[in-house]
Amino acid sequence: MRLILSWATLLVVAAAWAQAGVAELEAIAYGRQRIDLASGRTILEDGGELIERGSGVRLVAAWIAYAEGVEVTARDVSIEGDVGFVDAPLLTIDLVAGRLTASGGVAWRREGLQVAGETLWFDVDAGVVGLLGGVEAVEPDASAAEAWIELESGRVLLLGPYAYADGPLVLRGGEGAALQLDASDTDAGVVYDASTAVDADWLAVVDAARAAWEAASEE
């Protein structure tokens, strides 16, 4: 469940900024800054920080560009929230659509839990988080081509090739295979129920979220 909550935390970052807009952000420049008249963006050329006043979310990056109410782009960036951290070479927040994309090799950590993937995708309206490309997770012990999480239900979907270790038992699936993980709390800790019989409605949600990610990637 901590894995699910960690990814959910990053979605909250996107949601907070999408609702508040850059006007609610406090910007701290580490050096040179300028305004690009053509795009209307403020550029912190030597890096700096963006702090969302309402949530306390803090973004630190080596280079930041933002346009009020439109978008935030950052390079070599770290985001720190109440329950997690994310590091990525490139991060973009679409404040209009309420979407966040981190790419170039993304790492998330908190209290020893670590999750990594090539790309991290958030869709605020859909309530879906996706990690795509070379996904590696600890607790649960899993790897996959893609991992998708539905925040409301807590369902997780691993898309193959995948491997999921449950003690000495390892479940594996090839390209095109899917494995659903449902987490529940027990006296012994969090237990994941794994099934290759994926809920039809959940698969439809993932298909829609993935289509949105692909469309955004082509823009």
Side-chain angles (χ1 to χ4, degrees):
M1 186 62 72
R2 285 186 294 165
L3 174 65
I4 296 170
L5 291 177
S6 68
W7 290 335
T9 298
L10 297 181
L11 183 59
V12 170
V13 174
W17 286 356
Q19 292 170 0
V22 177
E24 297 297 324
L25 296 178
E26 176 185 355
I28 302 173
Y30 289 168
R32 295 170 299 168
Q33 60 178 317
R34 63 182 175 86
I35 297 178
D36 184 90
L37 296 179
S39 64
R41 298 187 302 170
T42 299
I43 301 174
L44 309 185
E45 296 181 331
D46 296 321
E49 302 177 24
L50 292 180
I51 302 171
E52 203 288 307
R53 297 189 186 105
S55 66
V57 171
R58 179 171 173 260
L59 179 153
V60 180
W63 182 93
I64 300 173
Y66 63 91
E68 289 193 20
V70 179
E71 70 173 6
V72 176
T73 302
R75 299 173 186 164
D76 296 328
V77 58
S78 295
I79 287 181
E80 175 183 351
D82 292 339
V83 294
F85 302 80
V86 63
D87 299 306
L90 179 64
L91 181 142
T92 300
I93 301 173
D94 185 333
L95 297 170
V96 177
R99 293 170 175 171
L100 181 153
T101 304
S103 59
V106 183
W108 178 92
R109 64 192 185 279
R110 180 181 184 267
E111 297 179 354
L113 179 62
Q114 298 182 20
V115 182
E118 287 301 313
T119 300
L120 189 63
W121 162 259
F122 301 86
D123 189 320
V124 175
D125 291 337
V128 175
V129 180
L131 283 97
L132 305 100
V135 175
E136 297 287 341
V138 177
E139 194 181 343
D141 184 358
S143 61
E146 300 179 16
W148 293 88
I149 306 94
E150 184 180 49
L151 299 182
E152 183 177 356
S153 69
R155 291 180 291 190
V156 178
L157 187 66
L158 302 179
L159 297 182
Y162 68 76
Y164 167 67
D166 183 7
L169 177 64
V170 179
L171 301 178
R172 301 182 185 276
E175 185 175 353
L179 185 71
Q180 180 172 322
L181 301 178
D182 294 300
S184 58
D185 289 310
T186 69
D187 293 338
V190 177
V191 175
Y192 290 89
D193 293 323
S195 175
T196 56
V198 179
D199 296 340
D201 64 322
W202 176 212
L203 188 59
V205 169
V206 171
D207 287 342
R210 199 176 193 287
W213 170 74
E214 291 175 343
S217 300
E218 295 174 356
E219 292 178 356

